[in-house]
């Protein structure tokens, strides 16, 4: 089902609550970014959601909407995790004391302290291109023994053995999905719709359905002034009788008519944009196992598991790697950034004064992301070459190799598939490197990269000659951390037979726990197209570099042929020992003996 959350289209059915061994507490910078975005957009979100709530009720009289209330996020604590498709999620508690309680839950848990037994949280899901989609998740424990505090359960981390129901709503309070969980396992999903009668059991061809009341108890005078939709009545608005229909999470069935859609249309009738989304995103098939990972099936690994279970690790001995290739990888890994470039990055800073819950202020200053400081124990070492036996014509003249490399740099987006990454000179926080990047010597230019998925990043030209330039990854206040840390060369060499080899060669490691987890997930499932991995997406980008460079040469009066790429992912410790002279090259490759 496709519905609007915060008036933005969200494919909620891609995500079911997941079991995990832990999540990461969001750092202050991330808390501040989410909070700042919400406060800037809150008024518009509220206005459009109130209007959308009313319009959608009229368009979908069977769809269930809880009464809309303005949201009061509690920024004191925040969970941070990723959905299986890579989207970053920040989850905060809501301070609102207006609750949405199915009557069977109230009857099980009792009236006393019901507001302390039910959790309702707000999920901010990073949207590609900026901003967030918003979901509301409500956690209903099956018994007193299943009552959990905020820090014990979240949408990315169902507590071990937890039983209950998780209901998901859009920002406008349109019901999207419910999940039945027993002993930490997602068993089935549900949809609400307005019932035609008040019978407890409803015969329906739609599914296994049960009817009951949804109530809106109001607790605590602290937020009395927020309950304005129904005239400030302390008992809250009237209850609603709904039909709740359950389906197995693996059933190959479509969504019910109008069920929970807040888009104002029947979700079973796809429009053109939805069809395009479906082609781009296989998880639009909402019952696909990959889109709905079951608790325990793909649970988040511990640090130790992450560092030992990536499929391509370990390659302690790179048996078939030519020693010369290995030497060049080591040289790329050992490349360092000069002080001039380090000093330049210090001037790219977001010096906004931000206070978070009374904690000290901070400034976000750009800096180098060192290979040695990254998270993953696996290091990516790749080489993507193209052999050019005749250089192309540029503006009617045969290019020199240096001229062709310069042309590639200045037109780099024409030499890669921008679906995976798009490059642009950095222009933010007082830095504009457009002229420098497009000059004859781009040394020191910072370049931003719009990377497929939730993470973008920046690099700096940390080395430059007429035959090679080197990118080094950086943290910057616009994009935060680059998803990998390390160096990448672009260059050419002249071969003994007079031909040239143009190439890109990289040595990098996954920067964060989250990126390492994404790689682990993809390797565990072994379906790259359905669960993309950071390394796998990078491989596709640089293969596109090979093919587009080859096509350009052959299409402009030259001759070129793509050569086989070399990609190795050994244990970082072994590579580092060779870099530091603690071990010989022969410990990595027999060709160096």
């Amino acid at each position: 089902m496709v519905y609007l959350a915060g008036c933005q289209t969200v494919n909620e059915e891609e995500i079911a609550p997941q079991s995990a061994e832990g999540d990461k507490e969001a750092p202050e910078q991330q808390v501040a970014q989410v909070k700042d975005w919400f406060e800037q957009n809150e008024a518009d979100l509220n206005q459009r959601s109130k209007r959308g709530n009313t319009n959608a009720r009229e368009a979908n009289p069977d769809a269930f909407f809880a009464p809309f209330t303005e949201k009061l996020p509690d920024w004191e604590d925040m969970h941070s995790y990723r959905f299986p498709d890579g989207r970053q999620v920040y989850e905060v508690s809501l301070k609102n004391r207006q609750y949405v309680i199915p009557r069977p839950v109230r009857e099980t848990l009792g009236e006393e302290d019901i507001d302390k037994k039910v959790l309702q949280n707000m999920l901010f899901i990073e949207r590609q291109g900026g901003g967030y989609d918003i979901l509301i998740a409500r956690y209903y424990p099956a018994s007193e023994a299943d009552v959990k505090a905020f820090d014990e359960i979240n949408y990315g981390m169902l507590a071990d053995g937890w039983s209950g129901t998780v209901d998901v709503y859009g920002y406008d309070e349109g019901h999207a999905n419910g999940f039945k969980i027993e002993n930490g396992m997602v068993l089935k999903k549900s949809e609400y719709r307005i019932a035609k009668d008040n019978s407890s059991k409803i015969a329906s061809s739609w599914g296994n359905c049960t009817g009951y009341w949804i109530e809106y108890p109001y607790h605590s005078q602290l937020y009395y002034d927020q309950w304005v939709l129904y005239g400030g009545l302390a008992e809250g608005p009237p209850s609603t009788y709904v039909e709740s229909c359950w389906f197995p999470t693996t059933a190959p069935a479509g969504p019910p008519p109008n069920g929970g859609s807040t888009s104002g249309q029947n979700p079973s009738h796809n429009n053109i944009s939805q069809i395009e989304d479906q082609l781009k995103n296989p998880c639009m098939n909402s019952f696909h196992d990959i889109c709905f990972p079951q608790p325990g099936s793909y649970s988040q690994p511990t640090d130790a598991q992450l560092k030992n279970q990536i499929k391509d690790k370990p390659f302690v001995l790179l048996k078939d790697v030519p020693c010369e290739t290995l030497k060049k990888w080591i040289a790329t890994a050992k490349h360092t950034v000069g002080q001039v470039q380090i000093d330049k990055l210090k001037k790219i800073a977001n010096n906004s004064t931000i206070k978070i819950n009374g904690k000290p202020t901070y400034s976000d200053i750009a800096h180098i992301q060192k290979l040695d400081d990254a998270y993953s124990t696996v290091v990516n070492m790749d080489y993507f070459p193209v052999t050019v036996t005749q250089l192309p014509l540029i503006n009617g003249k045969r290019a020199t190799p240096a001229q062709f490399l310069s042309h590639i740099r200045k037109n780099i987006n024409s030499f890669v598939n921008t679906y995976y990454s798009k490059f642009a000179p950095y222009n933010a926080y007082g830095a504009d490197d457009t002229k420098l990047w497009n000059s004859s010597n781009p040394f020191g230019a910072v370049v931003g990269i719009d990377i497929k998925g939730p993470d973008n990043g920046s690099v700096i030209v940390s080395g430059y000659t007429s035959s090679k330039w080197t990118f080094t990854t950086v943290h910057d206040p616009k994009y935060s951390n680059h998803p990998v840390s390390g160096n990448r060369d672009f260059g050419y060499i002249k071969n003994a037979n007079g031909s040239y080899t143009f190439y890109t060669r990289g040595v990098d490691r996954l920067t964060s726990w989250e990126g390492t987890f994404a790689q682990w997930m993809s390797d565990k499932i072994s379906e790259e197209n359905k669960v993309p991995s950071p390394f796998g997406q990078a491989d596709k980008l640089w293969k596109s570099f090979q093919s587009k460079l080859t096509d350009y040469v052959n299409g402009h009066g030259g001759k070129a042929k793509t050569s086989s790429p070399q990609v190795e992912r050994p244990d970082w410790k072994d590579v580092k020992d060779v870099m530091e002279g603690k071990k010989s090259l022969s410990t990595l490759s027999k060709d160096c003996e």
Side-chain angles (χ1 to χ4, degrees), residues 335-348 366-370 409 423-426 431 433 436-437 442-449 457-464 469-476 482 484 486-490:
H335 172 77
T336 58
V337 182
Q339 189 61 46
V340 173
Q341 281 66 52
I342 293 174
D343 291 341
K344 173 181 178 173
L345 290 174
K346 291 179 180 178
K347 298 178 182 179
I348 302 176
H367 58 267
I368 297 297
Q369 289 182 200
K370 296 180 181 180
R409 170 175 57 85
F423 298 76
Y426 196 83
D433 281 354
L436 181 58
W437 171 245
F443 187 51
V446 179
V447 176
I449 310 174
S458 294
V459 293
I460 189 170
V461 180
S462 57
Y464 178 78
W469 87 82
T470 300
F471 277 151
T472 298
T473 53
V474 302
H475 167 97
D476 76 277
H482 193 293
V484 300
N487 302 312
R488 177 164 297 278
D489 301 326
F490 296 81

Side-chain angles (χ1 to χ4, degrees), residues 212-504:
Y212 50 76
W213 291 96
I214 300 291
E215 301 174 336
Y216 315 108
Y218 173 65
H219 298 271
S220 173
Q221 294 297 311
L222 180 60
Y223 302 102
Y224 182 86
D225 59 341
Q226 290 292 324
W227 197 252
V228 295
L229 186 63
Y230 290 85
L233 298 176
E235 65 271 16
S239 300
T240 305
Y241 198 81
V242 300
E243 179 182 6
S244 176
C245 296
W246 294 92
F247 303 91
T249 56
T250 56
N258 299 323
S261 171
T262 66
S263 61
Q265 64 178 18
N266 189 326
S268 64
H269 297 162
N270 289 330
N271 58 33
I272 296 300
S273 65
Q274 289 172 339
I275 293 173
E276 290 175 349
D277 286 343
Q278 204 163 22
L279 293 175
K280 295 177 183 177
N281 182 5
C283 285
M284 285 290 288
N285 177 1
S286 61
F287 291 91
H288 196 292
D289 288 343
I290 300 301
C291 308
F292 276 95
Q294 299 303 301
S297 298
Y298 309 125
S299 60
Q300 295 179 7
T302 64
D303 281 5
Q305 289 172 322
L306 276 174
K307 292 182 176 181
N308 287 283
Q309 291 189 14
I310 293 182
K311 182 175 58 178
D312 293 322
K313 184 264 185 189
F315 290 100
V316 178
L317 187 65
L318 311 180
K319 298 178 181 179
D320 300 323
V321 175
C323 194
E324 284 303 309
T325 299
L326 181 58
K327 288 179 180 179
K328 291 175 180 177
W329 271 333
I330 296 298
T332 299
K334 293 175 70 174
H335 172 77
T336 58
V337 182
Q339 189 61 46
V340 173
Q341 281 66 52
I342 293 174
D343 291 341
K344 173 181 178 173
L345 290 174
K346 291 179 180 178
K347 298 178 182 179
I348 302 176
N350 175 7
N351 291 313
S352 301
T353 300
I354 300 176
K355 290 186 177 180
I356 305 173
N357 300 321
K359 296 180 180 179
T361 60
Y362 73 96
S363 294
D364 188 8
I365 302 173
H367 58 267
I368 297 297
Q369 289 182 200
K370 296 180 181 180
L371 183 65
D372 199 33
D373 294 336
Y375 182 89
S376 68
T377 59
V378 170
V379 57
N380 171 70
M381 304 169 74
D382 64 51
Y383 178 62
F384 294 85
V386 174
T387 301
V388 178
T389 54
Q390 186 173 26
L391 288 158
L393 297 171
I394 299 178
N395 297 325
K397 295 181 179 181
R398 187 72 60 191
T400 66
Q403 288 172 338
F404 185 38
L405 183 64
S406 178
H407 180 79
I408 293 170
R409 170 175 57 85
K410 294 177 182 179
N411 300 275
I412 191 167
N413 287 323
S414 297
F415 289 89
V416 295
N417 185 340
T418 54
Y419 174 74
Y420 296 110
S421 285
K422 188 173 183 179
F423 298 76
Y426 196 83
N427 185 6
Y429 296 101
D432 184 355
D433 281 354
T434 304
K435 290 183 179 179
L436 181 58
W437 171 245
N438 290 301
S439 70
S440 60
N441 185 349
F443 187 51
V446 179
V447 176
I449 310 174
D450 183 357
I451 303 170
K452 177 189 176 185
D455 293 321
N456 297 321
S458 294
V459 293
I460 189 170
V461 180
S462 57
Y464 178 78
T465 68
S466 61
S467 62
K468 184 180 75 173
W469 87 82
T470 300
F471 277 151
T472 298
T473 53
V474 302
H475 167 97
D476 76 277
K478 181 178 181 180
Y479 293 130
S480 191
N481 287 335
H482 193 293
V484 300
S485 297
N487 302 312
R488 177 164 297 278
D489 301 326
F490 296 81
Y492 69 87
I493 57 172
K494 187 172 184 178
N495 303 314
N497 64 0
S499 66
Y500 294 91
T501 297
F502 286 78
Y503 65 87
T504 182

Side-chain angles (χ1 to χ4, degrees), residues 26-38:
E28 291 184 359
Q29 178 187 352
Q30 294 174 332
V31 176
Q33 289 175 346
V34 177
K35 180 180 180 182
D36 183 59
W37 178 88
F38 179 70

Side-chain angles (χ1 to χ4, degrees), residues 31-330:
V31 176
Q33 289 175 346
V34 177
K35 180 180 180 182
D36 183 59
W37 178 88
F38 179 70
E39 291 178 347
Q40 289 180 16
N41 292 276
E42 182 179 10
D44 184 57
L45 285 169
N46 290 338
Q47 181 180 7
R48 290 195 289 166
S49 292
K50 290 175 183 177
R51 184 171 62 247
N53 183 299
T54 301
N55 293 341
R57 286 173 185 268
E58 294 175 354
N60 297 300
D62 291 340
F64 172 66
F65 291 80
F68 178 79
T69 56
E70 296 184 5
K71 308 301 187 287
L72 300 171
D74 183 351
W75 303 106
E76 187 68 31
D77 295 302
M78 178 184 285
H79 298 290
S80 174
Y81 52 89
R82 288 183 184 274
F83 285 148
D85 60 9
R87 288 176 294 167
Q88 181 68 48
V89 184
Y90 304 103
E91 181 169 349
V92 300
S93 175
L94 284 175
K95 295 189 291 186
N96 298 69
R97 291 299 179 265
Q98 299 89 359
Y99 282 80
V100 180
I101 308 287
R103 182 170 291 180
V105 173
R106 180 178 60 80
E107 292 173 345
T108 298
L109 299 178
E111 296 282 358
E112 186 177 358
D113 294 330
I114 186 71
D115 56 319
K116 297 178 182 179
K117 298 173 183 178
V118 172
L119 295 179
Q120 49 184 3
N121 295 346
M122 195 169 177
L123 280 63
F124 293 85
I125 306 163
E126 274 191 343
R127 188 189 310 131
Q128 188 171 3
Y132 303 88
D133 293 314
I134 299 176
L135 299 177
I136 308 301
R138 295 184 168 98
Y139 304 83
Y140 304 110
S143 67
E144 293 282 351
D146 294 301
V147 173
K148 300 294 181 183
F150 175 82
D151 60 353
E152 295 178 299
I153 189 171
N154 61 64
Y155 206 82
M157 185 193 70
L158 293 178
D160 288 341
W162 188 78
S163 295
T165 303
V166 180
D167 273 350
V168 180
Y169 292 78
Y171 188 85
D172 62 359
E173 295 294 352
H175 184 260
N177 253 320
F179 298 95
K180 182 71 172 180
I181 294 139
E182 290 185 9
N183 296 318
M185 298 292 291
V186 179
L187 298 183
K188 51 188 177 179
K189 59 191 298 184
S190 72
E191 307 282 354
Y192 289 161
R193 65 179 180 185
I194 304 299
K196 301 304 181 182
D197 59 54
N198 293 354
S199 59
S200 60
K201 292 286 185 181
I202 300 175
S204 174
S205 60
W206 188 36
N208 181 18
C209 303
T210 301
Y212 50 76
W213 291 96
I214 300 291
E215 301 174 336
Y216 315 108
Y218 173 65
H219 298 271
S220 173
Q221 294 297 311
L222 180 60
Y223 302 102
Y224 182 86
D225 59 341
Q226 290 292 324
W227 197 252
V228 295
L229 186 63
Y230 290 85
L233 298 176
E235 65 271 16
S239 300
T240 305
Y241 198 81
V242 300
E243 179 182 6
S244 176
C245 296
W246 294 92
F247 303 91
T249 56
T250 56
N258 299 323
S261 171
T262 66
S263 61
Q265 64 178 18
N266 189 326
S268 64
H269 297 162
N270 289 330
N271 58 33
I272 296 300
S273 65
Q274 289 172 339
I275 293 173
E276 290 175 349
D277 286 343
Q278 204 163 22
L279 293 175
K280 295 177 183 177
N281 182 5
C283 285
M284 285 290 288
N285 177 1
S286 61
F287 291 91
H288 196 292
D289 288 343
I290 300 301
C291 308
F292 276 95
Q294 299 303 301
S297 298
Y298 309 125
S299 60
Q300 295 179 7
T302 64
D303 281 5
Q305 289 172 322
L306 276 174
K307 292 182 176 181
N308 287 283
Q309 291 189 14
I310 293 182
K311 182 175 58 178
D312 293 322
K313 184 264 185 189
F315 290 100
V316 178
L317 187 65
L318 311 180
K319 298 178 181 179
D320 300 323
V321 175
C323 194
E324 284 303 309
T325 299
L326 181 58
K327 288 179 180 179
K328 291 175 180 177
W329 271 333
I330 296 298

